[in-house]
Amino acid sequence: MRVNVTVNGEARQADDVWEGESLLYLLRERLGLPGSKNACEQGECGSCTVYLDGTPVCACLVAAGQAEGREVRTVEGLAEGDRLDPVQQSFVDAGAVQCGFCTPGLVVAAHDLLNRVPNPSDEEIREALAGNLCRCTGYEKILDAVRAAAK
């Protein structure tokens, strides 16, 4: 089947898409956007989080065909040209990027939180990031990054 989707503001098309293929596979393998990571393939780790019509979703749990005619925004789409989004920049500045596997999902989740709650409490930050697992850090630098982006 053919899938037509708007990704990061650009109309994209993929042919010969298998009906059980995930949106994550479509983004990474067919459209060449490797930012969202393929870690658990079960919606447990959050590494593949993207916006689908403005709502964060685990791309590994969304069938590619469900994206037909819809808008997807990936971690790559948060930046404006060479200028990182403030959330992306704060992760770099705070040293919150370790191996980088969890980072795209955490950045999208933090971006969504700050769009909804411009000055979140630590409890709100923890709640918003609860669906994202990081195996490298103790999360403190990640929390620091979100706090910094809020400022």
Side-chain angles (χ1 to χ4, degrees), residues 112-123:
D112 178 63
L113 168 66
L114 295 176
N115 280 337
R116 292 181 292 106
V117 183
N119 190 21
S121 67
D122 282 357
E123 183 177 322

Side-chain angles (χ1 to χ4, degrees), residues 7-9 33 72-81 85 88 111:
V7 181
N8 300 329
L33 294 166
V72 175
R73 189 173 183 196
T74 68
V75 69
E76 293 99 334
L78 299 182
E80 291 183 24
D85 179 84
Q88 292 169 313
H111 184 270

Side-chain angles (χ1 to χ4, degrees), residues 1-3 16-23 30 62-66:
M1 94 174 129
R2 172 178 287 164
V3 175
D16 301 321
V17 175
W18 174 59
E19 59 195 33
E21 192 170 295
S22 72
L23 175 59
R30 296 192 181 273
V62 176
Q66 289 179 289

Side-chain angles (χ1 to χ4, degrees), residues 60-139:
C60 71
L61 297 180
V62 176
Q66 289 179 289
E68 172 66 34
R70 298 175 77 183
E71 186 169 327
V72 175
R73 189 173 183 196
T74 68
V75 69
E76 293 99 334
L78 299 182
E80 291 183 24
D82 290 339
R83 193 173 135 257
L84 294 177
D85 179 84
V87 175
Q88 292 169 313
Q89 188 63 56
S90 71
F91 268 67
V92 172
D93 294 344
V97 178
Q98 297 279 311
C99 81
F101 230 71
C102 67
T103 305
L106 284 163
V107 166
V108 172
H111 184 270
D112 178 63
L113 168 66
L114 295 176
N115 280 337
R116 292 181 292 106
V117 183
N119 190 21
S121 67
D122 282 357
E123 183 177 322
E124 289 170 313
I125 295 170
R126 284 187 178 90
E127 179 67 27
L129 302 184
N132 298 80
L133 300 178
C134 176
R135 293 173 178 94
C136 296
T137 71
Y139 292 94

Side-chain angles (χ1 to χ4, degrees), residues 31-52:
L31 301 180
L33 294 166
S36 303
K37 301 300 183 215
N38 185 2
C40 73
E41 296 186 48
Q42 297 177 7
E44 295 292 328
C45 72
S47 294
C48 65
T49 303
V50 299
Y51 286 108
L52 180 61

